[in-house]
Amino acid sequence: MDLENQKRVKDIVEKHGEENVIVLLGAAEAEASGLAAETVTNGDPTFAGPLAGVQLGLRVYHVVEEQFKGEVDADTYEDQIGMMEMVLDVDEIVSEMTEIRNEFCKFND
Amino acid sequence: MSDYAVIKGTSYILAHTPDMILHNGTTQTMERLASPQSEYLKQIPNYLRSFDEVLSYPPNQVYVGNNKPEELHKYEKPWFDKKIEAASRYGWFGEIMPQDEFLALIKMVDVFDLVLLEKSFTNVAKKKINNHPMMTSNLKSRLKDGEDIAVIEKFIKEQQAEALYHDSKLVGCVKRAHEIDVNLNAHVIHENLISKASGVLAFLNLISKNDIDVDSIDYVIECSEEACGDMNQRGGGNFAKAIAEMGGAVNATGSDIRAFCAAPVHALITASALVKSGTFKNVVIVAGSAVAKLGMNGKDHVKKGIPILEDVLGGFAVLISENDGVNPVVRTDLVGSHKVGTGSSPQAVMTSLIADPLDKGGLKITDVDKYSVEMQNPDITKPAGAGDVPESNYKMIAALGVKRKELERKDIATFAKEHGMPGWAPTQGHIPSGVPYIGHAREALLNGDIERTMVVGKGSLFLARMTNQFDGVSVIIEKNIVGADEKATGISEDEVKKMIAEAMRNFASHLLEG
C-alpha cells in the first residue's frame, strides 16, 4: 500500500476509532490484496510507511467477497463490479483475505 | 473519397543507457538519498545488460519492427534469457542506439551550450555518430571538440552540473541553465535534453525510414511526459518545435500535448482531426523518453535475480497525412473517451473506452481484430507484482464482451490470443500506451492480415495531484477501403495500383536495408 494511503488510513482511524472503520480493497490479484490487508491489520510489511509496526487490526474486505457483496444493491454491484468479478481469481483472493483476517483482525464478527 | 486522415509512416527507437539507470532513474536516486550504502545500489552493476544482450532481447526487436508481436508467442516466458540470433541494431521501424552515440546526440541537440563532453570520449563518439545514416550535416556540425575533464569536474563540483557517465566513467556533464530557478537546474535540463534527443532520433527515423519529404511536414505534436519552461511558466513548452527544428522541418510549427500516459493517443486523435479538417496536411506526432523511469522496478528485478530490464529509453513518431487511398485510415468518428462523469470503476472505464467507439460504428467486440492497449512488457512488470498488463486488459475487454452478450464466458481465456498481443514495450510511461502497435498495425492493415484495430491510451492523472480523475482515449484504425465513392472522385484503379506497388517497393527496399 502506498505511503499516502497508509497515512490516510491512520488519520481516519485516529479520528473515528478502530471499531468504526472498515477498509475495502479493489486490488486485481490475491498477493496485492493480502499485502494491503496485512498493512491495515498487522502493519506495513515493508516497514516503509506510516503503518510500519502499527497493528490496527481493522476489518478489511475485498469487494469481491460475499461479506461486501451481500450488503450492497445487486444491480449496482453488477453494474460496477460484475465485469471485474468475471476476470479476477475470486477464490484465491477470498482465501488470501480470510487468512489475513483470521491471523491479524482484532474483531471476530 | 472519404476524408479520414491516414497513418503514412511510423518510427520506433530505443537508446540503451545503462549508466543512467544508477545515476538518473528515480528508484535509484531516491535509494541513494534514503540509504547511500544500500545493498541494492551495490548490486546494480552486476545486473546490467550489455548492448548485444539488449539488441537480441526479443521484445526490443519487436519494438523496432524487426519481428512481429505475434512472434513473441514462440518464446516461452520469461524472455530475458531468450535471444533473437543475429539481431540487428537497425530495424524496419527504427533503431536501438548505444549509449555513447546517444550522449553525443544529446550534445548535438543542445542549442544553449549546456552539455559538455570530454575530449577523448567526444573523439570516439563523433566517429561513430558521424557514420550514422540519418545524421544531417547540420547535426554533425554541432558536435565540436570536447572539453578537458577538469572543466567538467569543476562544473559538477561547484555548479551542481548533472554528471554524464559511460562505462561507469565520467565523460561529461549537463550544466544548469540558471543559478536559482529550479525549473532550469541541471537535473531538469538533463531530463529535458534526453527527452528532446530521443524525440529527435524518432523524428529522424520517421523521415528516413518512410521516405518522407521533411519540407512537407506542417505541424508537429509532441506528447511525452516532461515539462520545459522556467520559473514563470513551469511547463511553457515547446518540445514539438524544438524537435522539428533539429529534424529540419522548416515548414512546421507545433505544440505539446500532455495527458500522462494517455497523451500519445490524444495526440493521434488531434493530429488526425487537424488533417481531416484540412487545417494541416502532414502532422507528425512524436515523443521522446522518460529518463527518470529507468530501473523503476530494478529492486524487484535484482531481488528475483534477473537483469534490470528497464535499461532503455524509448521514443516513437507517427506521420498523419491526408487520405491517399492506400494507407490505413484513422476513424476519428469512432473515438472513445473517459469523461469527467464516467467514474473510475474498471467496468465504467472499459465501457467508455472500448464499447462506446464500437457502438458508434455498429461494431461488436469481435469485429476488432487486434486491440492495442497498454503494451507493457510482462517480463518487466510481473516480477514487480504488477502482473501481465496487456493480458489483464484483454481479460477485461473479453468480460465486457460477455456482458454485451457478444462472447461466451469460456471465450475469456482465449480472447487475448485471438484479439490481443503479448506486451513488448519498455515501461517508459507514455511509450507503451496503445501506440507501440501502430507501426505493426500499419503493415498488417496494408498486407490485409487484419481489417481493423483499436488503439487505447490510459493515463493516471492523479499523480499530478490536480485531480483524482483517471483518463483515457481510444480510436479505431481501419484498412483503407477504396470504394465506389472513391472512384467517383477521380483516383483511378490504375493510380491506386501504382500507389500500392510503390508502397510494396518501399517495403522491400527497407527489408533489404534492415
Side-chain angles (χ1 to χ4, degrees):
Chain A
M1 185 182 282
D2 75 40
L3 310 188
E4 192 56 34
N5 279 341
Q6 288 191 35
K7 188 171 177 298
R8 282 162 87 173
V9 170
K10 199 173 173 216
D11 291 347
I12 288 167
V13 168
E14 273 168 17
K15 192 171 172 192
H16 299 284
E18 291 161 5
E19 69 284 7
N20 296 316
V21 176
I22 294 176
V23 181
L24 279 179
L25 303 178
E29 41 86 51
E31 193 186 343
S33 309
L35 283 172
E38 189 178 342
T39 306
V40 298
T41 50
N42 192 44
D44 180 2
T46 67
F47 290 96
L51 292 179
V54 181
Q55 291 169 305
L56 296 177
L58 299 179
R59 294 178 180 94
V60 55
Y61 300 95
H62 194 285
V63 291
V64 298
E65 288 189 280
E66 198 50 46
Q67 291 94 325
F68 171 76
K69 194 178 171 181
E71 293 291 324
V72 297
D73 175 66
D75 289 341
T76 309
Y77 187 89
E78 188 54 32
D79 214 34
Q80 295 286 318
I81 299 170
M83 191 191 91
M84 285 311 286
E85 201 184 19
M86 256 187 262
V87 172
L88 301 180
D89 189 337
V90 174
D91 292 345
E92 205 187 343
I93 290 173
V94 170
S95 141
E96 181 77 20
M97 293 296 294
T98 310
E99 199 178 305
I100 297 281
R101 271 197 306 271
N102 287 344
E103 199 173 348
F104 302 120
C105 182
K106 280 184 190 167
F107 306 94
N108 283 321
D109 30 47
Chain B
M1 179 155 49
S2 67
D3 51 0
Y4 295 117
V6 299
I7 308 280
K8 194 93 176 269
T10 64
S11 80
Y12 294 88
I13 63 98
L14 299 171
H16 176 232
T17 51
D19 286 88
M20 289 182 193
I21 297 172
L22 180 61
H23 297 286
N24 308 106
T26 47
T27 298
Q28 292 66 243
T29 52
M30 290 298 110
E31 179 83 357
R32 194 177 306 134
L33 285 174
S35 51
Q37 298 305 317
S38 113
E39 266 311 299
Y40 167 59
L41 291 175
K42 285 181 201 154
Q43 285 175 320
I44 287 176
N46 305 325
Y47 287 86
L48 298 178
R49 295 190 291 185
S50 69
F51 183 61
D52 285 341
E53 285 170 322
V54 167
L55 280 193
S56 60
Y57 183 50
N60 289 349
Q61 285 295 317
V62 172
Y63 189 78
V64 298
N66 284 333
N67 292 82
K68 288 183 181 174
E70 293 80 8
E71 288 178 66
L72 286 172
H73 287 306
K74 289 194 301 201
Y75 301 90
E76 200 186 327
K77 287 181 209 157
W79 298 317
F80 65 83
D81 54 358
K82 312 292 185 299
K83 270 183 181 173
I84 287 184
E85 297 301 333
S88 168
R89 164 187 169 169
Y90 293 101
W92 167 235
F93 298 149
E95 66 175 290
I96 305 173
M97 185 173 256
Q99 184 171 258
D100 50 359
E101 287 180 46
F102 187 70
L103 290 170
L105 185 61
I106 299 170
K107 172 70 190 162
M108 286 165 148
V109 304
D110 157 35
V111 292
F112 277 83
D113 200 21
L114 297 168
V115 179
L116 301 181
L117 293 177
E118 191 271 330
K119 267 182 190 161
S120 58
F121 174 81
T122 303
N123 289 340
V124 175
K126 193 192 265 184
K127 267 185 210 135
K128 285 182 74 177
I129 196 117
N130 283 351
N131 282 328
H132 191 287
M134 289 159 215
M135 287 304 136
T136 58
S137 51
N138 174 42
L139 280 167
K140 282 181 193 171
S141 71
R142 305 185 59 82
L143 192 60
K144 308 269 192 297
D145 293 333
E147 275 295 342
D148 285 333
I149 194 73
V151 175
I152 291 163
E153 283 168 345
K154 196 164 184 263
F155 272 109
I156 294 168
K157 204 172 158 209
E158 294 175 9
Q159 296 190 18
Q160 298 86 45
E162 192 79 34
L164 296 171
Y165 295 89
H166 183 58
D167 292 339
S168 306
K169 204 175 138 202
L170 180 69
V171 295
C173 70
V174 177
K175 297 186 287 184
R176 67 187 181 198
H178 193 279
E179 258 182 73
I180 302 161
D181 186 352
V182 290
N183 305 287
L184 295 171
N185 69 19
H187 168 78
V188 173
I189 294 291
H190 172 269
E191 204 164 77
N192 285 347
L193 280 175
I194 285 174
S195 191
K196 180 183 174 185
S198 43
V200 168
L201 188 59
F203 192 94
L204 293 173
N205 270 275
L206 176 76
I207 301 301
S208 167
K209 299 265 173 187
N210 298 280
D211 297 326
I212 293 163
D213 173 11
V214 73
D215 291 345
S216 70
I217 295 164
D218 43 15
Y219 204 79
V220 177
I221 301 176
E222 195 265 6
C223 51
S224 76
E225 295 182 271
E226 309 300 1
C228 60
D230 71 3
M231 63 178 123
N232 294 315
Q233 48 275 309
R234 192 181 305 272
N238 159 336
F239 281 99
K241 199 153 189 179
I243 291 170
E245 178 194 17
M246 289 296 136
V250 290
N251 293 319
T253 181
S255 59
D256 302 342
I257 282 186
R258 291 293 176 270
F260 275 94
C261 310
V265 184
H266 278 283
L268 172 65
I269 294 168
T270 307
S272 304
L274 283 171
V275 170
K276 186 174 187 291
S277 69
T279 307
F280 295 107
K281 286 184 166 44
N282 296 294
V283 180
V284 169
I285 65 172
V286 60
S289 57
V291 67
K293 291 193 170 86
L294 289 174
M296 199 162 48
N297 295 291
K299 275 187 183 176
D300 289 303
H301 294 161
V302 168
K303 205 189 292 171
K304 304 228 155 83
I306 65 175
I308 296 178
L309 299 169
E310 291 157 308
D311 54 3
V312 289
L313 301 167
F316 80 95
V318 177
L319 174 64
I320 308 292
S321 295
E322 286 181 307
N323 199 336
D324 55 5
V326 177
N327 278 293
V329 294
V330 184
R331 290 291 303 264
T332 29
D333 54 338
L334 305 182
V335 166
S337 59
H338 179 274
K339 303 178 178 75
V340 170
T342 298
S344 60
S345 77
Q347 193 157 333
V349 170
M350 293 317 266
T351 301
S352 66
L353 295 180
I354 308 294
D356 287 358
L358 292 176
D359 289 342
K360 285 178 194 166
L363 300 166
K364 297 201 297 277
I365 292 260
T366 47
D367 288 335
V368 170
D369 299 300
K370 291 285 175 196
Y371 288 89
S372 181
V373 290
E374 296 155 294
M375 300 313 297
Q376 274 106 334
N377 174 357
D379 249 17
I380 297 171
T381 54
K382 277 176 107 171
D388 184 326
V389 179
E391 200 173 274
S392 313
N393 273 280
Y394 294 131
K395 276 189 190 161
M396 284 194 270
I397 295 172
L400 188 67
V402 174
K403 285 195 76 67
R404 286 164 60 93
K405 304 197 183 346
E406 294 165 7
L407 280 172
E408 297 290 325
R409 207 171 164 141
K410 64 173 173 48
D411 300 329
I412 295 181
T414 54
F415 185 82
K417 188 95 190 259
E418 285 165 23
H419 295 272
M421 296 159 284
W424 65 89
T427 48
Q428 285 263 292
H430 54 292
I431 296 294
S433 197
V435 286
Y437 183 56
I438 297 176
H440 291 290
R442 179 169 172 263
E443 301 306 320
L445 288 160
L446 281 172
N447 296 338
D449 295 340
I450 62 168
E451 300 281 316
R452 184 179 292 116
T453 182
M454 187 190 286
V455 180
V456 188
K458 296 187 201 165
S460 306
L461 307 189
F462 45 85
L463 293 170
R465 309 296 196 267
M466 286 295 111
T467 172
N468 260 319
Q469 286 270 325
F470 171 84
D471 189 44
V473 280
S474 59
V475 63
I476 285 177
I477 299 173
E478 281 180 349
K479 187 176 170 180
N480 202 328
I481 296 166
V482 186
D485 56 329
E486 277 83 351
K487 282 180 193 166
T489 61
I491 291 194
S492 70
E493 212 168 306
D494 280 351
E495 276 175 290
V496 171
K497 276 183 185 160
K498 249 169 76 183
M499 283 161 130
I500 293 173
E502 195 180 333
M504 295 307 286
R505 262 200 304 280
N506 285 341
F507 182 83
S509 68
H510 279 293
L511 278 183
L512 290 173
E513 277 173 29

